[in-house]
Amino acid sequence: MTQYHYVSLIFVLSIAFACSLFNGYASRQYVRYLVASDVEQTLSYYSSQITHYPEKLSQLASVFEFNCLEQDRRQLQQLTYHDYLIRRMRLQLPDGRHCNSMESIEPERQLLPLVSPLREGVGLWVANEAHSNEQLLVVEKHVEIGKLLVYLEPLISDSLRDKYCTSCLLVAVSAELNPTVVLMRGDISLLQTPPLMSFPLIDRLTVKVYVQSALMDSYRQAFWLPLFLMGVFLGGAILAGHRLIQSRKLSLHALVDEGLAKQEFIPFYQPIVDVASNTLYGCEMLARWQRPDNEMISPMEFIPYVEKSGQIFPITDQLITKAVNEISKLNWQQTQQVLSINVIPDHLESHEIMEKSLALLYRSQISPRQIAFEVTERKQFTDLAMASDVIDLLRSKGVDVKLDDVGTGYGGFSYIQQLNIRSLKIDKMFVETIGTSDIKLSLLDSIIAFGREAGMEMIAEGVETLEQSMYLAQRGVNLQQGFYFGKPMNFQDFAYFCKSMAANRRTGDDPVEMG
């Protein structure tokens, strides 16, 4: 077994043991669910009956003469018989006499007030039975000629109390205003443990449910193995996912290396137009990956990866070599048109890398003054001092550096100052707000005002409409790039665009649109 397999095994077991530690929480939630589904169903019916008892008791009281004679006794027995929620009923007369629906039952040892009054003339009491340790909830209706007491069946039946284990549950009902009186059903010793759940029964009454720790322990033990196995599965899934990602990265890395070896990375060109003179200022070189089957892979699928892997450097060199050779065929060396090449901060933080790129440029007929490097603001510089030195070196050789995506990334205008950059590109996200009420439109105006005050060259990206072009031109941003003028295109299409642009300038027509 290799070290990788040992590490993988330890990782999976660690996840499994970590998951098994949740057995206490899982068992508590499961028992809570089981008990809640049983208890709440019973108590919801119970509470609905008690809620209507004030009105019901008024009706019941009206059928009694409160003399405990034959008719009252018969009514007590019939009403108790037909309502299974009632265990027994009793009439209490002013002279101390009383009568029950069950004459053989001894009076309760104690009658304690729970809520009095619950409604007008109605109270709730707790009765401690004389013949057992059982407690019953008593609803009392007080009228001028006596009292009617209704003894309700227990909140929780014996079958439910013993459903999970013997005397597993304790249900306790207490009132907010009189917490010393508690109606309990179950093992009283469970009051010393934290309640499993608590919820309101009716107005001012709260129900708390307690369970034995033995019940929790049994479920805790039962949950350990399933949780452990779930952890094994989860750990294995994470490990498999990690290996899949790594293998995909390795596969992409190998594919990029293969693409470099087979010269599959090709430059596309997007024109930059000077709308003031209706001339071609230059173009931005963009990376494309064309596979042997002519499948064109989007830059978004490989650029983020190669920037991290370091493969962006040989890709950029390959693109520069192809671009300067192609552009030379258009006799750009006889013009002032500019080729803008995208780089990342890492390019500008290394003399060695930039010297290699410059060597590729020197082999062509293109003047260094026709080359510009665009560095995006979306990625952060790690060594501004080194970048400043490299930019000074490039500028001394006639190569310009432009700050791309201004206003969208890390450095903001501080990069312009610290790196002494004199050319900026306004991002599409600002340009597309023209003609809208988007708050970013005011940011666009601020960027333009800053560039104009600083005497900087400004290029607007993402121009797609005549309205956007005119808005920018009116504010002095004459260098524009976007689908309104032309989309990124291969060299053949770009060569046609350049010829059309030159022909239009001679005839005075508007710029050709290639979007």
Side-chain angles (χ1 to χ4, degrees), residues 138-323:
V138 181
V139 185
E140 177 195 65
K141 173 65 177 177
H142 188 279
V143 295
E144 293 182 358
I145 55 176
K147 297 178 183 178
L148 172 63
L149 290 88
V150 179
Y151 296 73
L152 303 178
E153 289 289 353
L155 288 171
I156 302 297
S157 64
D158 290 339
S159 60
L160 179 57
R161 183 186 61 185
D162 299 333
K163 180 176 180 178
Y164 309 103
C165 58
T166 304
S167 298
C168 274
L169 294 182
L170 170 65
V171 178
V173 180
S174 59
E176 295 178 5
L177 300 179
N178 190 16
T180 57
V181 178
V182 182
L183 173 66
M184 292 176 287
R185 177 73 173 174
D187 186 355
I188 298 177
S189 64
L190 294 179
L191 282 174
Q192 306 301 320
T193 63
L196 179 68
M197 67 185 75
S198 175
F199 49 87
L201 180 62
I202 56 175
D203 293 346
R204 295 175 289 173
L205 286 183
T206 301
V207 177
K208 293 183 179 180
V209 180
Y210 303 80
V211 298
Q212 280 189 357
S213 59
L215 177 64
M216 301 297 293
D217 291 340
S218 64
Y219 279 104
R220 187 179 295 111
Q221 295 172 8
F223 269 94
W224 189 91
L225 182 58
L227 287 173
F228 182 84
L229 294 177
M230 184 182 74
V232 171
F233 175 79
L234 179 62
I238 294 174
L239 195 61
H242 179 262
R243 292 187 65 180
L244 180 62
I245 293 172
Q246 289 299 110
S247 63
R248 185 179 182 278
K249 285 184 177 180
L250 291 173
S251 298
L252 180 58
H253 196 99
L255 284 174
V256 171
D257 284 342
E258 181 184 351
L260 284 166
K262 294 182 178 180
Q263 299 286 312
E264 293 176 357
F265 295 94
I266 61 174
F268 267 45
Y269 308 91
Q270 186 171 29
I272 303 172
V273 175
D274 186 343
V275 297
S277 59
N278 193 24
T279 58
L280 184 67
Y281 167 86
C283 65
E284 179 182 351
M285 183 194 74
L286 301 165
R288 294 294 185 268
W289 185 3
Q290 188 171 29
R291 298 290 291 157
D293 57 359
N294 288 324
E295 176 192 3
M296 194 68 70
I297 299 178
S298 168
M300 294 305 298
E301 294 186 31
F302 68 91
I303 290 295
Y305 174 76
V306 298
E307 286 181 350
K308 295 178 180 178
S309 69
Q311 292 166 303
I312 188 65
F313 303 121
I315 289 176
T316 302
D317 290 343
Q318 189 170 112
L319 293 172
I320 290 175
T321 301
K322 292 182 178 181

Side-chain angles (χ1 to χ4, degrees), residues 417-462:
Q417 181 179 5
Q418 295 180 61
L419 300 177
N420 194 24
I421 290 176
R422 306 304 303 163
S423 179
L424 57 84
K425 299 192 74 174
I426 302 171
D427 192 74
K428 176 183 178 181
M429 68 176 288
F430 298 108
V431 174
E432 64 187 7
T433 63
I434 295 173
T436 71
S437 58
D438 195 311
I439 192 174
K440 290 194 292 293
L441 182 59
S442 62
L443 296 177
L444 170 63
D445 292 336
S446 298
I447 293 172
I448 294 174
F450 171 83
R452 188 168 56 243
E453 288 293 325
M456 301 184 69
E457 177 189 69
M458 292 182 286
I459 302 174
E461 295 183 297

Side-chain angles (χ1 to χ4, degrees), residues 380-381 384 403 410-420:
Q380 192 170 16
F381 281 90
L384 282 171
L403 184 62
Y410 289 93
F413 297 109
S414 66
Y415 282 171
I416 296 175
Q417 181 179 5
Q418 295 180 61
L419 300 177
N420 194 24

